[in-house]
Amino acid sequence: LPTETSIVDLARTIISLVHSDSNIIHDTSRVDDPACRRPDVSKIFHDIGWQASTDIVTGLEQTIHSVQALDLLRRQPPL
């Protein structure tokens, strides 16, 4: 099942995975925005039996790799 991850922890993980020196900016203007998000996957599990099989770090790594590969393809000169 998905684990609860704070937005700041998610941002830190992404920054680390892409080896960025980005800074996290905390926006306090959204007072109704939840600090953490944890999706409820019980409906999709009940309806079709689906459940996540990839942890968040592995999923992020795969997504980053895919985006980087697409970016490399876009930079190739046409044949």
Side-chain angles (χ1 to χ4, degrees):
L1 292 174
T3 57
E4 190 163 8
T5 303
S6 71
I7 299 306
V8 72
D9 285 343
L10 181 61
R12 287 180 182 137
T13 300
I14 294 168
I15 288 169
S16 173
L17 290 173
V18 298
H19 309 288
S20 173
D21 60 356
S22 296
N23 294 314
I24 297 172
I25 299 171
H26 299 274
D27 182 1
T28 57
S29 66
R30 297 194 54 185
V31 294
D32 62 337
D33 198 30
C36 292
R37 290 170 175 83
R38 182 176 173 189
D40 179 3
V41 296
S42 61
K43 180 169 176 26
I44 196 165
F45 180 76
H46 178 345
D47 290 352
I48 63 172
W50 180 90
Q51 69 182 36
S53 60
T54 304
D55 64 276
I56 193 159
V57 173
T58 302
L60 287 170
E61 289 170 337
Q62 292 171 348
T63 301
I64 291 164
H65 176 76
S66 295
V67 169
Q68 289 170 336
L70 285 173
D71 188 49
L72 286 175
L73 287 174
R74 285 192 201 115
R75 294 173 189 232
Q76 300 265 342
L79 296 175

